[in-house]
Amino acid sequence: MNIQTQEKPQTQVDETVMANAIRVLSMDAIEAANSGHPGAPMGLADVATVLFNRFLTLDPKNPDWPDRDRFVMSAGHGSMLVYAIHHLLGYEDMDADQLRNFRQMGSRTAGHPEYGHAMGIETTTGPLGQGVATSVGMALAERMLNARFGDDLVDHYTYVLAGDGCLMEGISHEAIDMAGHMGLGRLILFWDDNRITIDGATDLSTSMDQGKRFEAAGWHVQAIDGHDTDAIAKAIEAARADKRPSMIACRTVIGKGAPNKAGSHKVHGAPLGADEIAATREALNWPHAPFEVPGEVRDAWRQIAQRGAEAQTAWRKRKAVHAKAEAFDIAHAAPDAVALNAAMTAYKHKLSADLPKVATRKASEMALEVVNGTLPNMAGGSADLTGSNNTKTSAMRPVSRDDYSGDYIHYGIREHGMAAAMNGIALHRGLIPYGGTFLAFADYCRPAIRLSALMNVPVTYVMTHDSIGLGEDGPTHQPVETVASLRAMPNLTVIRPMDAVETAEAWQIAATSAGTPTLLVLSRQNLPCLRTRHTDQNLTAKGAYVIYEPEGGRDVTLIGTGSEVEIAMEASKMLASEGIRAAVISAPSFELFAQQDPEYRAAIRGCAPRVGIEAAVRQGWCVFLERSDGFVGMTGFGASAPAPELYRHFNITPEAVVASAKRQISDQN
Amino acid sequence: MNIQTQEKPQTQVDETVMANAIRVLSMDAIEAANSGHPGAPMGLADVATVLFNRFLTLDPKNPDWPDRDRFVMSAGHGSMLVYAIHHLLGYEDMDADQLRNFRQMGSRTAGHPEYGHAMGIETTTGPLGQGVATSVGMALAERMLNARFGDDLVDHYTYVLAGDGCLMEGISHEAIDMAGHMGLGRLILFWDDNRITIDGATDLSTSMDQGKRFEAAGWHVQAIDGHDTDAIAKAIEAARADKRPSMIACRTVIGKGAPNKAGSHKVHGAPLGADEIAATREALNWPHAPFEVPGEVRDAWRQIAQRGAEAQTAWRKRKAVHAKAEAFDIAHAAPDAVALNAAMTAYKHKLSADLPKVATRKASEMALEVVNGTLPNMAGGSADLTGSNNTKTSAMRPVSRDDYSGDYIHYGIREHGMAAAMNGIALHRGLIPYGGTFLAFADYCRPAIRLSALMNVPVTYVMTHDSIGLGEDGPTHQPVETVASLRAMPNLTVIRPMDAVETAEAWQIAATSAGTPTLLVLSRQNLPCLRTRHTDQNLTAKGAYVIYEPEGGRDVTLIGTGSEVEIAMEASKMLASEGIRAAVISAPSFELFAQQDPEYRAAIRGCAPRVGIEAAVRQGWCVFLERSDGFVGMTGFGASAPAPELYRHFNITPEAVVASAKRQISDQN
C-alpha cells in the first residue's frame, strides 16, 4: 500500500504560508501574461496545499509512476494553481521562467492545463465538467486494475478540484451518477464553493443544493471552510475512510488574499493589476520579488516530493518481487501488435472463405472476439445499447461495485459521461477502452471526443446505425452530417468499413493506435463481404484502395464508403453491361488516405471523372472529388421508413450512380 | 383563465378502458410496422389518460391555439402513445390509416414524434433528455408572456413524460436546475419509473435517488403507482397547486397489459408478436379488430377535445376585448421585417460614416441594440458569458423567478440546456430567443442545435471567440474544426461576418428568419470596418460578394471570411504593388452563397485561381475552391499564446496569402 501521511508533516512553515506561495506565484504569472484567471488558484490554494502536503502521493522525478495518486484540476482556467504547485514541488520542466512565460508561445504553461504539454498534467481541462467526468474513468480504472493486480501494485486515489461551472454542466450529472453507482470510494471531489460565476453571483443562475444532489447519487458529502487547513485535512481523512465517492464542499473566497478584489466576479478572469498585487503582497506579508520563493517555503513543498519519491521506491521494491509484475507491465505497455496481427490475419483468411453477409456492427463484434481474445486488457462498454452496438463479446463480464474484475462497463444512457470516462481510463493506463452508441449521438459526446483527439489518447468509439440505413427511427436517429463533422476534427481517425474484412482491419488499426482515437462508423443493416480475396496487408490502413479495376483503363471512378460500396459495385456492373469501364474504390478512412504519398493518392483518384457515393452530405469529399465530379448522397435530413425505401426515396441507388457516371463522362467529352 | 377540469368527467367509460385503447392501438401499429417501442406507450397509458382526461386543455381543431397546454413526450421512442391519443382525440390528420402506416414512408406517424410532421406535436423528441430541456423553455416562455399579457391571455401548463434515459442524460441536470431556479411551477414532469433500460434493469447502470435529486434542484416531488388513476389525478392536482416545478415519479410496469412480456426489457423496443398480441387482447378484454375503437371509448376521448374547444372559444372571447390583444398578436406574428430593415439601413449608414474598428462580438451588441429596439419580443441570454458574448443590450433586464417581465436570461454554465430551452421558447412562440457562448462550446449544445435545424425553428446562436484569434486560452477554447462541423449541418445558416456592417446584416437575417436557425460566428479581437460604402442591399444575404475587384481583370481571387478578410485585403494590396491583380471576396455564409443562382456563384468564384483564407480547417471550402486552389488556414489544433503570435505561428498572414497566390498563378501558367 502507498505510504500516505495523514499527519501534518513537521516543517517550520505553516500551510497557510505554503498556500500563499501558490497565491503569489499565480497572481504574478497572470500579471506578467496580462491574461488568466487568478480567482480559482488564490481561492483554492489552502485546499490544494493541505491535499498535497498531507495526502497526495506523487513523485515529480517519476511523473508517470503507475501507482501515483491522480490530481485533476477540473476548473482548468485555474491552471496557475497546477503550474505553481509543480514549480514548488520541483518538476524539472517547470522552472520560474515557465511561470514568467505563462500563456506565451512555446511555454509549457498553457492557458489551460494540457495533457502531454507539461509533466504531471493528468488530463486536459478547460471545457467545464470534463475533468470531473474524466476522473470517474481514472477512478474506475484504478479499481479494475486493483481487482486484477491487488493492493500492492494498485492502490491510489483520484482527487478532483471542481468549480461551480463544472457542476452546472450536464456532464457532471452523468459522471456523479456513474461514480455513485460504481461505488468509486477512492474518488474525492472538492467543490470550490465560492458562489461566483463570470456573470456574477451564482444565485443569478442556480439554486442547486449540491450536497443533497451528490447524496442522491450515492456520494458521501461534507461541507467545510475551505480556508481552514485542519478542517480540510479532517474532511479528506473522512472522505478516504468512507466507501462511497466523496464530495467536499469547500466554502471559499474567490481570489482570497487580494484585499480589495477577493470575493468578486472581477477577480475570476482578469489580472489583479499592479496596485492590487502590491496590496496583496502586503496583506499576505510576502515581501519577496515576483517568482522568488523563500528557501523554507520551497523546502516545505519539496518534502512532499520527497515523501512521494519514497513511496515510489517502496512500490518499485514490492513490484520487483510481485508474482503479477510481468502481467502488470504487459497491461501498461503498448498492445502486442504482432500477436494481434497474427490473430487478425488468421481471422481474415476465415472471412475470405466464409464471406459472411453481416451488418458491420455485427462484424465489429466478430472482430472484437479476436481483439479481446488476444489483448488481455480491453475494457468494453456501451451507453445502454449493448445489443445494438454489439460491443460485448462472449467472454466479457460486467464491471460492478461488487466485482471490479469484469471488463464490460454498462455506461448507462450517458454518451458524454462514457466518452469522458474512456478518456480517463486511457489516461490512467493499464486498460484499453472502447464504447458504443448510435452514430447520431456522437453529437452528445463530441466535447469529450475532441479531448481524446487533442490529448492523443487512443480511445475507440464504436458508433453504429450509421445512416438512413437504420430505417424507421427516422431523422433524429439518422446521421447525415455526422460523419463529415467528425472528419473535420484533427487527429481523429474515422473509419467506415464496407464489410467484415474491412471491419476487422479497422479494429486492428484502432486497438493498436498509439496516439490517435479511432471512431468506427458501422451499419445497422447487413452488407455482403466484398473483399473476396485474402490479403495479409491491412488495406483499410491505406484509407482507400481499388476493389475493382476494369481492364483497359477507366472511363469513370466510383468511390464509396461503408454500405455504399455495394451500390458502387452494382453500378459498376450495370455500367459494364453498357460498355462503360467503371473502377470501384473503397474509401473507409479519409484521414488515413490523406496520409498516403501523393503518387498513391493520385493513382487511386485516377484521371477519369469520379462519382462519390455515401449516404451522407458531400462536405469533406474534396479529398477525392473535384468540384465538377458527381456525388450520390444526402442533401438534407432523413425520414422515417424502412431502409430500402429510404435509399430509393433519397435516390442513393445503383441506378442513380449509373446516371451520375454517365453525366460525368458526357460532361467531360 | 383556462377552464381546466380537475373533476373526473362523467362518462360511461372507465379511464382504464380509455387507456387500454392507447395500449391496443400502440401494439397493433407497432406490429403492423414490425418496428417500434410498445413498452413506453403501454406502461404510460394510464398516466397519459388521466392527464388528458382531467387536466390537459387542447383543441384539436385549433392545434396552435396559443394558450393551449403543452404536452411533450420526451421519451420520444414511445411515439405511438402520442399518435394513439391524437387519433382518439380526433386530430384530423391522424386517422386510422396513419396508425396502420406507422413508421412508413409518407405517413405522419414517424418513428419519433416530429414537430411540424403531424398536428399537435409540440417538439421533436427521440434524442433523450431533449424533451425535458425543451419543455423548460416552453414553461419559461409561458411565464414571461404571462408577465407581459396577464392571466386572461397566457395561463397554461407544460407537461412532460420522461423515461429513465431522459433523466440519465446530462442535459436533464441542466434543465431541472434551471427550472428549479426559475421557479417554473407550471412545469410538471412525469417520470416513467419502470426500472428498465435497453440493456436490462436500471440497476445495471444507475443508483440515483431521483426524488432526492429533483428536491435538490428545488422541485416538488411525489411518488405514485402509475397505474392507479385516482392517485395519478391527486398527484397532478397537488403538482398544480405547488409553486415549484413538480416531478411525479410514476412507478409503472413497462409494456403493462401484455401478460407474458410486461416488465421486461424485451418489450422496450420490439413488436410483441402475434401470440402476445392475442394474449394481450384477451387479458385486456379487448375483442375489437386492430384499429377499431368502440364508439363509447371514442366518445370519452372526444369529450376531452370538446372541453378544449370550449376553453379555446372562451379564450378567444376574452382576447377579443382585451387591451393587449394587438400587442399579443404582434408578438405571435412574424417579426416586422420592414421596420427592422428601416432601422438597420439607418444604422448601416451610420456605420459607413463612423467605420468603427470593433470585435464582431461588440458589433453584434451594437446591432442587437437596433434589433432589440425595433422588435418588441426578443429574449436574449448567455451561458454565463454575458460580458464576453456581448449579448445583453442596454435596456435589457434579467428574468428571474421574482420577475418574469425581463428579457434577458442568465442561462448559467449550461450551453446544452440553453440551446434546448431556446428551442422551447421558439416553439412556444411569442418570443424570439437568442443566446451566447464561445464557439468552441458549440459542441456542448450540438444535439439541440441539430433539433433547431431539424424542426425549422429560428433560434439564433451567438458564438464568439471564433478562432485562434482568442489567443491565450489555448486549444481547448480555440475552434478549428467547429465552423466546418456546423456548416455540415442541414438547414443551419452559419454566418461569420468580417466587420460591423456584415454583423448588422447578419443580425437582420437572423432576426427575421422564419424556418432556419442562424449561428453567428464572431471574433474576440477588433476588426476594421471594411464595408466603407453604404449599400441598402443586405450583401451578407448573398453569402459571398466582391469587396475589391481590380481593374482589368483578375490574376487571382482571394476569398476570406470573418477576421481573415482583413488579411485578404492586405495581401491584395501587397500583390498589387507587384503588379498582380487580386480580387477579394468576403464570404460570410457558405449556405447563403449556395442558395444563389449559378451565374452569380460562377462570377464570384471567377476563372482565375483562388486562395481561401480562414483560421480553421479547409473542409467545406469546396463551395468556393477547386482541389488545386490554395488555402491559408489551420490543419490541426491551436495553441496558447497572444493572438498576433498565433497568427504568425500558424502562418495565417498576408505574406502567406501572397505566397499562396503566387504559387497558384505560377502553377496555372
Side-chain angles (χ1 to χ4, degrees):
Chain A
M1 282 215 290
N2 279 354
I3 300 158
Q4 286 176 312
T5 319
Q6 294 180 33
E7 292 303 304
K8 194 166 162 182
Q10 294 303 313
T11 72
Q12 314 213 328
V13 177
D14 191 86
E15 281 173 327
T16 301
V17 177
M18 293 173 72
N20 286 341
I22 298 174
R23 293 191 166 95
V24 174
L25 289 172
S26 297
M27 74 177 186
D28 285 342
I30 291 161
E31 192 70 12
N34 194 26
S35 165
H37 300 76
M42 296 178 79
L44 283 169
D46 299 308
V47 171
T49 298
V50 175
L51 173 64
F52 275 78
N53 196 36
R54 306 200 208 180
F55 299 94
L56 208 73
T57 304
L58 298 166
D59 180 5
K61 299 235 182 315
N62 292 281
D64 298 331
W65 166 39
D67 202 30
R68 71 193 181 280
D69 288 334
R70 302 303 194 269
F71 173 74
V72 173
M73 181 68 186
S74 187
H77 50 278
S79 57
M80 262 315 300
L81 177 93
V82 181
Y83 303 140
I85 289 173
H86 284 200
H87 173 69
L88 292 164
L89 289 174
Y91 277 85
E92 67 177 39
D93 66 345
M94 196 53 68
D95 61 21
D97 279 345
Q98 291 295 336
L99 305 188
R100 281 189 194 97
N101 286 297
F102 180 50
R103 295 186 152 222
Q104 303 308 302
M105 182 65 75
S107 75
R108 298 190 184 281
T109 43
H112 292 81
E114 288 179 40
Y115 174 72
H117 203 71
M119 287 176 182
I121 308 285
E122 301 286 3
T123 184
T124 296
T125 51
L128 293 174
Q130 295 291 337
V132 173
T134 303
S135 70
V136 171
M138 293 177 180
L140 181 59
E142 192 270 348
R143 282 296 88 188
M144 290 173 69
L145 292 169
N146 174 275
R148 284 157 175 73
F149 299 111
D151 288 348
D152 277 347
L153 295 185
V154 184
D155 180 20
H156 53 266
Y157 285 83
T158 302
Y159 298 98
V160 199
L161 301 193
D164 291 297
C166 293
L167 300 192
M168 288 175 82
E169 291 285 358
I171 190 173
S172 69
H173 169 62
E174 303 184 19
I176 73 169
D177 188 4
M178 204 185 306
H181 180 70
M182 287 289 190
L184 301 177
R186 279 148 181 277
L187 177 63
I188 298 175
L189 181 147
F190 301 87
W191 167 37
D192 183 15
D193 179 17
N194 61 28
R195 306 194 187 172
I196 293 291
T197 72
I198 293 175
D199 273 8
T202 50
D203 65 10
L204 267 179
S205 57
T206 183
S207 309
M208 181 64 74
D209 180 338
Q210 292 288 1
K212 192 166 180 178
R213 173 198 175 200
F214 275 80
E215 282 173 1
W219 285 53
H220 170 237
V221 172
Q222 301 171 81
I224 58 165
D225 173 351
H227 303 300
D228 176 339
T229 56
D230 286 332
I232 297 164
K234 271 194 195 135
I236 298 173
E237 277 172 33
R240 287 161 53 110
D242 197 281
K243 286 192 169 179
R244 295 165 290 177
S246 278
M247 190 276 265
I248 304 173
C250 304
R251 184 73 183 90
T252 63
V253 176
I254 191 169
K256 169 92 172 173
N260 307 305
K261 292 194 173 178
S264 150
H265 69 108
K266 288 170 192 155
V267 82
H268 167 86
L272 296 185
D275 290 350
E276 183 73 356
I277 282 183
T280 305
R281 277 200 150 67
E282 176 122 0
L284 297 182
N285 189 22
W286 191 277
H288 321 292
F291 309 110
E292 185 186 311
V293 179
E296 70 273 16
V297 177
R298 203 174 283 277
D299 289 346
W301 278 97
R302 293 294 165 90
Q303 279 196 26
I304 300 168
Q306 183 56 36
R307 172 168 57 79
E310 287 162 14
Q312 193 272 141
T313 304
W315 178 86
R316 194 173 294 266
K317 284 183 186 158
R318 290 198 303 277
K319 176 161 169 278
V321 297
H322 201 285
K324 293 184 175 170
E326 194 185 339
F328 184 90
D329 285 342
I330 288 171
H332 287 76
D336 187 342
V338 173
L340 186 60
N341 189 56
M344 274 295 175
T345 302
Y347 170 61
K348 279 167 61 183
H349 267 293
K350 191 168 173 311
L351 289 177
S352 301
D354 297 350
L355 299 181
K357 181 170 180 171
V358 293
T360 48
R361 62 180 170 137
K362 177 66 184 171
S364 171
E365 183 184 338
M366 292 157 59
L368 264 173
E369 291 283 2
V370 178
V371 174
N372 294 352
T374 307
L375 304 180
N377 56 335
M378 299 294 288
S382 165
D384 196 48
L385 290 168
T386 294
S388 298
N389 300 145
N390 298 71
T391 33
K392 190 163 179 246
T393 53
S394 52
M396 279 185 144
R397 291 183 304 109
V399 180
S400 77
R401 62 190 304 154
D402 302 317
D403 182 2
Y404 295 107
S405 71
D407 49 8
Y408 191 81
I409 301 161
H410 286 285
Y411 284 106
I413 301 144
R414 305 185 188 101
E415 299 82 8
H416 203 176
M418 173 176 75
M422 290 200 294
N423 283 341
I425 294 170
L427 289 164
H428 183 280
R429 302 189 70 91
L431 296 164
I432 303 175
Y434 69 86
T437 185
F438 289 157
L439 179 61
F441 303 146
D443 283 357
Y444 271 82
C445 40
R446 192 172 166 93
I449 299 174
R450 189 178 203 260
L451 283 180
S452 307
L454 183 57
M455 294 192 288
N456 304 308
V457 292
V459 168
T460 301
Y461 295 92
V462 182
M463 301 225 157
T464 70
H465 295 58
D466 70 351
S467 73
I468 55 166
L470 65 85
E472 291 88 345
D473 273 343
T476 53
H477 286 53
Q478 288 164 358
V480 162
E481 77 290 14
T482 320
V483 176
S485 78
L486 292 163
R487 287 180 184 142
M489 195 178 285
N491 195 41
L492 175 68
T493 303
V494 178
I495 310 182
R496 186 167 188 246
M498 67 170 181
D499 69 2
V501 176
E502 281 191 0
T503 307
E505 292 176 342
W507 260 113
Q508 191 174 353
I509 294 163
T512 55
S513 173
T516 302
T518 307
L519 193 141
L520 304 179
V521 175
L522 304 171
S523 76
R524 179 191 182 212
Q525 71 272 34
N526 286 343
L527 300 174
C529 195
L530 298 173
R531 280 275 290 282
T532 51
R533 268 182 306 182
H534 172 78
T535 62
D536 275 2
Q537 193 188 9
N538 187 326
L539 295 178
T540 300
K542 306 288 271 182
Y545 59 94
V546 175
I547 60 167
Y548 173 69
E549 187 77 68
E551 281 180 35
R554 302 176 184 178
D555 297 317
V556 64
T557 299
L558 310 179
I559 309 172
T561 81
S563 43
E564 283 71 71
V565 181
E566 179 185 11
I567 293 172
M569 288 293 276
E570 189 61 33
S572 173
K573 282 179 204 153
M574 290 165 67
L575 287 163
S577 73
E578 301 186 48
I580 298 171
R581 297 163 303 178
V584 179
I585 306 294
S586 174
S589 175
F590 291 19
E591 298 80 21
L592 295 175
F593 180 68
Q595 293 165 23
Q596 307 306 310
D597 61 56
E599 292 71 27
Y600 180 80
R601 283 184 281 143
I604 290 295
R605 295 179 63 251
C607 299
R610 297 157 208 88
V611 179
I613 310 125
E614 184 167 55
V617 298
R618 180 170 176 156
Q619 186 181 305
W621 270 82
C622 55
V623 174
F624 294 100
L625 304 183
E626 303 293 339
R627 292 185 73 254
S628 58
D629 286 332
F631 183 73
V632 172
M634 299 289 289
T635 56
F637 292 111
S640 171
E645 285 186 52
L646 289 171
Y647 271 89
R648 283 193 294 275
H649 177 76
F650 290 109
N651 212 20
I652 304 174
T653 60
E655 291 76 13
V657 175
V658 165
S660 177
K662 287 183 182 173
R663 268 197 308 276
Q664 291 308 312
I665 292 166
S666 92
D667 282 357
Q668 199 192 32
N669 298 331
Chain B
M1 280 213 292
N2 279 354
I3 299 158
Q4 286 177 310
T5 320
Q6 295 180 35
E7 292 303 303
K8 195 165 163 181
Q10 294 302 314
T11 74
Q12 314 213 329
V13 177
D14 191 85
E15 281 173 327
T16 301
V17 177
M18 292 172 72
N20 286 342
I22 298 174
R23 292 191 167 95
V24 175
L25 288 172
S26 296
M27 77 177 184
D28 286 342
I30 290 161
E31 191 72 11
N34 194 28
S35 166
H37 300 76
M42 297 179 78
L44 284 169
D46 298 310
V47 170
T49 298
V50 174
L51 173 63
F52 276 78
N53 197 36
R54 305 199 209 181
F55 299 94
L56 209 71
T57 305
L58 298 165
D59 180 5
K61 300 236 182 313
N62 292 282
D64 297 332
W65 166 40
D67 202 29
R68 70 194 181 279
D69 287 334
R70 303 301 195 270
F71 173 74
V72 173
M73 180 68 185
S74 187
H77 51 277
S79 57
M80 263 313 301
L81 177 93
V82 180
Y83 303 140
I85 290 173
H86 283 199
H87 173 68
L88 292 164
L89 290 173
Y91 277 85
E92 67 177 38
D93 67 344
M94 197 52 68
D95 62 21
D97 279 346
Q98 291 295 337
L99 305 187
R100 281 188 193 97
N101 285 300
F102 180 50
R103 293 183 154 227
Q104 304 307 302
M105 181 64 74
S107 75
R108 297 191 184 281
T109 44
H112 292 81
E114 287 178 42
Y115 175 73
H117 203 71
M119 288 176 181
I121 308 285
E122 300 286 3
T123 182
T124 297
T125 52
L128 293 175
Q130 295 291 337
V132 173
T134 304
S135 69
V136 171
M138 293 177 180
L140 181 59
E142 193 270 346
R143 284 295 88 188
M144 289 172 69
L145 292 169
N146 174 275
R148 285 157 175 72
F149 299 110
D151 287 349
D152 276 347
L153 295 185
V154 185
D155 180 19
H156 53 266
Y157 284 83
T158 302
Y159 298 99
V160 200
L161 301 192
D164 291 298
C166 293
L167 300 192
M168 289 173 82
E169 292 286 0
I171 189 174
S172 68
H173 169 61
E174 302 184 20
I176 73 169
D177 189 2
M178 205 184 308
H181 180 70
M182 287 289 190
L184 301 177
R186 281 151 177 275
L187 176 63
I188 298 176
L189 181 149
F190 302 86
W191 167 36
D192 183 16
D193 178 17
N194 61 28
R195 305 194 188 173
I196 294 292
T197 72
I198 292 176
D199 273 7
T202 49
D203 65 9
L204 269 179
S205 56
T206 183
S207 309
M208 181 64 73
D209 179 338
Q210 293 288 0
K212 192 166 180 176
R213 173 198 175 201
F214 276 80
E215 282 173 1
W219 286 52
H220 169 237
V221 172
Q222 302 171 81
I224 58 165
D225 173 352
H227 304 300
D228 177 339
T229 54
D230 286 332
I232 297 164
K234 270 192 197 138
I236 298 173
E237 278 171 35
R240 288 160 54 111
D242 197 280
K243 286 192 168 179
R244 295 164 290 177
S246 277
M247 190 277 265
I248 305 174
C250 304
R251 183 72 182 92
T252 64
V253 177
I254 190 168
K256 168 92 172 174
N260 306 305
K261 292 191 173 179
S264 150
H265 68 108
K266 288 170 192 155
V267 81
H268 167 85
L272 296 184
D275 290 351
E276 184 72 356
I277 281 182
T280 305
R281 277 202 149 66
E282 176 120 3
L284 298 181
N285 189 25
W286 191 277
H288 320 292
F291 308 110
E292 186 186 312
V293 178
E296 71 272 18
V297 177
R298 202 173 284 277
D299 288 347
W301 278 97
R302 293 294 165 92
Q303 280 197 23
I304 300 169
Q306 183 55 36
R307 171 170 56 80
E310 287 161 13
Q312 193 273 141
T313 305
W315 179 86
R316 193 172 296 266
K317 284 184 187 160
R318 288 198 303 277
K319 176 162 169 278
V321 297
H322 201 287
K324 293 184 176 171
E326 193 186 337
F328 184 89
D329 285 341
I330 288 172
H332 287 76
D336 187 342
V338 174
L340 187 59
N341 190 56
M344 274 297 175
T345 301
Y347 171 60
K348 280 166 61 183
H349 268 294
K350 190 169 173 315
L351 289 177
S352 301
D354 296 350
L355 299 181
K357 180 170 182 171
V358 293
T360 49
R361 62 179 171 138
K362 178 65 184 172
S364 170
E365 182 184 337
M366 291 156 59
L368 264 172
E369 292 283 3
V370 178
V371 174
N372 294 351
T374 307
L375 304 180
N377 57 336
M378 299 295 288
S382 165
D384 195 48
L385 289 169
T386 295
S388 298
N389 300 145
N390 298 72
T391 34
K392 189 161 178 247
T393 53
S394 52
M396 280 186 142
R397 289 184 305 109
V399 179
S400 77
R401 62 190 306 155
D402 302 316
D403 182 2
Y404 295 107
S405 71
D407 49 9
Y408 191 81
I409 301 162
H410 286 284
Y411 284 106
I413 300 143
R414 307 186 186 99
E415 300 82 9
H416 202 177
M418 172 177 75
M422 291 201 293
N423 283 340
I425 293 169
L427 289 163
H428 183 281
R429 304 188 68 90
L431 295 164
I432 303 176
Y434 69 85
T437 185
F438 288 158
L439 179 61
F441 303 146
D443 283 358
Y444 271 83
C445 41
R446 193 172 166 94
I449 299 174
R450 190 178 203 259
L451 284 180
S452 308
L454 182 57
M455 294 193 288
N456 305 310
V457 293
V459 167
T460 301
Y461 295 92
V462 182
M463 302 222 158
T464 69
H465 295 60
D466 70 350
S467 73
I468 55 168
L470 65 85
E472 292 88 345
D473 273 344
T476 53
H477 286 51
Q478 287 164 359
V480 163
E481 77 289 13
T482 318
V483 175
S485 78
L486 293 163
R487 288 181 183 140
M489 195 178 283
N491 195 42
L492 176 68
T493 303
V494 177
I495 310 181
R496 186 167 189 247
M498 67 170 181
D499 69 2
V501 177
E502 281 191 1
T503 307
E505 292 177 341
W507 261 114
Q508 191 175 355
I509 294 163
T512 55
S513 172
T516 301
T518 308
L519 194 142
L520 304 180
V521 175
L522 304 172
S523 76
R524 178 190 184 213
Q525 71 273 32
N526 286 344
L527 301 175
C529 195
L530 298 173
R531 281 274 289 284
T532 51
R533 266 183 306 181
H534 172 78
T535 63
D536 275 1
Q537 194 188 8
N538 186 327
L539 295 178
T540 301
K542 307 288 272 180
Y545 60 93
V546 175
I547 59 166
Y548 173 69
E549 187 78 65
E551 280 179 36
R554 303 179 185 177
D555 296 317
V556 64
T557 300
L558 311 180
I559 309 172
T561 81
S563 44
E564 283 71 71
V565 180
E566 179 185 11
I567 293 173
M569 287 294 277
E570 189 63 32
S572 173
K573 282 178 206 154
M574 290 164 66
L575 287 163
S577 74
E578 300 187 48
I580 298 171
R581 298 164 304 179
V584 179
I585 307 294
S586 174
S589 175
F590 290 19
E591 298 80 20
L592 295 175
F593 180 69
Q595 292 165 23
Q596 306 306 310
D597 63 55
E599 292 70 27
Y600 181 80
R601 284 184 281 141
I604 290 296
R605 295 180 62 251
C607 299
R610 297 158 208 88
V611 179
I613 309 124
E614 185 168 54
V617 299
R618 179 170 176 155
Q619 187 180 305
W621 270 82
C622 54
V623 173
F624 293 99
L625 304 182
E626 303 293 338
R627 291 184 74 255
S628 58
D629 285 333
F631 183 73
V632 171
M634 298 290 289
T635 56
F637 292 111
S640 171
E645 284 187 53
L646 290 170
Y647 271 88
R648 283 193 295 275
H649 177 76
F650 291 109
N651 212 19
I652 304 175
T653 59
E655 292 75 15
V657 175
V658 165
S660 178
K662 288 183 182 172
R663 267 198 309 276
Q664 292 305 315
I665 293 166
S666 92
D667 283 358
Q668 200 191 32
N669 297 333

